Amino acid sequence: MKKTTPLIILFFLFSKFILFAQIKFCSWNIQNFGKSKTENHIKFIANTLNGYDVVAIVEVVAGLGGSQAVARLADELNRKGSKWDYSISDPTTGSPSKSERYAFLWKTSKLKKIGAAFLENKYQTEIEREPYLATFSSGNKEFTIATFHALPKNKHPEQEIKYLKFIPGEFLSKNIIFSGDFNCPESHTVFNPLKVSGYLSAFTKQKTSLKTKCVNNDCLASEYDNIFYKASKIHLIKSGVVHFYKEFSILKEARKISDHLPVYLEFSIN
């Protein structure tokens, strides 16, 4: 019988460690994610998200159909070879007309959720749609995603975003990653406190929302979606956006899926 060399054993263990340590995270504002999404929409969304380990969804309908849409998506993802679990927030506590839900979905073979996900309600009077937080573990290392949907640009989202800087102080032991639709470019000074405390943005000058019509093949409108991570705790491997609309011959059809691009972060934990 051929003897396995120590070098081969070390290579095998190192390869397993690398595969285990790398985490693929996607954040997506799926416009009006609820009963308006058809079976084909859900299948398209599942195909788009299947390659990630954990997903944060913004703009889940608070009323009838929102929670069911998340369950439909999880069921479709489970048909693709990996077991997925999910968590859905209660409706946010701002005005009823702006109330939404958030959701997390994750591959159970890659990540374990630690404790219950929750809406951060300390600033619920200052923030219309308070962030939704969930902690996950990869091996013996943990990270917490705080996903957020700010007010529209014309409603001055910076008046809400400014409160995000206090959240890391509320959870000193947690490695927090902020994600979502901020309706505000990362170059805005409201993000300076996070940057000063060591946070980096995954994207700079990256438009992530769709126009209603493409102009000279330019279909992107504004720099709204982003991911902010603590440079001392997160090692960036890769970040990017998914130009899913290019799979449609008509932009109007793509916008039935969403008016925002998925944004993603591939990382390891320091």
Side-chain angles (χ1 to χ4, degrees):
M1 182 175 177
K2 193 171 181 180
K3 198 171 181 180
T4 304
T5 66
L7 185 62
I8 293 174
I9 293 173
L10 285 173
F11 177 78
F12 175 74
L13 292 174
F14 181 73
S15 298
K16 283 196 72 175
F17 173 78
I18 291 297
L19 287 171
F20 190 71
Q22 292 184 0
I23 299 161
K24 297 180 180 180
F25 166 51
C26 181
S27 173
W28 197 359
N29 178 338
I30 305 179
Q31 183 185 29
N32 194 32
F33 192 55
K35 63 182 181 181
S36 66
K37 302 305 180 190
T38 67
E39 182 179 347
N40 285 337
H41 292 155
I42 294 293
K43 287 181 178 179
F44 182 91
I45 293 167
N47 286 334
T48 304
L49 297 176
N50 188 49
Y52 300 99
D53 303 316
V54 57
V55 175
I57 298 179
V58 171
E59 206 170 306
V60 178
V61 173
L64 183 65
S67 296
Q68 293 88 340
V70 176
R72 290 162 59 204
L73 176 58
D75 182 61
E76 187 63 32
L77 285 165
N78 279 327
R79 299 172 189 271
K80 297 184 177 299
S82 295
K83 176 67 175 70
W84 290 74
D85 202 351
Y86 64 93
S87 175
I88 307 169
S89 77
D90 292 331
T92 54
T93 56
S95 59
S97 64
K98 297 183 180 67
S99 183
E100 296 173 356
R101 297 180 191 265
Y102 300 99
F104 292 111
L105 300 98
W106 64 95
K107 286 177 178 171
T108 58
S109 62
K110 292 295 296 285
L111 299 172
K112 179 181 178 181
K113 185 167 69 68
I114 307 299
F118 61 95
L119 290 169
E120 172 48 65
N121 59 15
K122 183 168 184 179
Y123 305 104
Q124 64 182 3
T125 57
E126 292 84 10
I127 299 176
E128 280 282 354
R129 296 176 290 232
E130 62 270 38
Y132 186 48
L133 282 74
T135 297
F136 300 92
S137 66
S138 173
N140 62 353
K141 296 184 178 182
E142 297 182 2
F143 63 97
T144 299
I145 300 172
T147 189
F148 175 57
H149 189 193
L151 286 171
K153 184 178 180 179
N154 62 358
K155 299 292 184 181
H156 305 291
E158 65 275 7
Q159 296 302 316
E160 294 187 325
I161 295 170
K162 66 184 181 182
Y163 291 100
L164 297 183
K165 66 186 177 186
F166 297 117
I167 291 179
E170 299 292 325
F171 307 99
L172 290 173
S173 65
K174 294 191 180 297
N175 176 12
I176 295 178
I177 298 171
F178 292 99
S179 69
D181 174 7
F182 300 92
N183 280 310
C184 192
E186 63 79 32
S187 57
H188 195 288
T189 56
V190 72
F191 292 109
N192 285 352
L194 281 178
K195 294 176 180 178
V196 168
S197 67
Y199 277 85
L200 298 178
S201 60
F203 307 98
T204 58
K205 298 181 180 179
Q206 174 62 63
K207 294 178 179 179
T208 60
S209 65
L210 290 177
K211 295 179 178 179
T212 54
K213 291 183 180 181
C214 299
V215 180
N216 296 325
N217 293 321
D218 179 11
C219 304
L220 301 181
S222 301
E223 303 169 34
Y224 283 166
D225 305 85
N226 217 315
I227 301 171
F228 293 85
Y229 61 96
K230 198 71 175 285
S232 62
K233 296 183 178 181
I234 294 293
H235 170 66
L236 173 65
I237 298 170
K238 183 181 179 182
S239 63
V241 300
V242 181
H243 295 272
F244 77 92
Y245 63 93
K246 293 183 178 181
E247 298 188 41
F248 294 84
S249 57
I250 302 173
L251 188 63
K252 183 178 179 181
E253 292 302 311
R255 287 174 59 90
K256 290 179 181 178
I257 300 292
S258 181
D259 57 352
H260 286 252
L261 304 183
V263 298
Y264 66 85
L265 182 76
E266 295 183 20
F267 66 94
S268 61
I269 304 171
N270 294 335

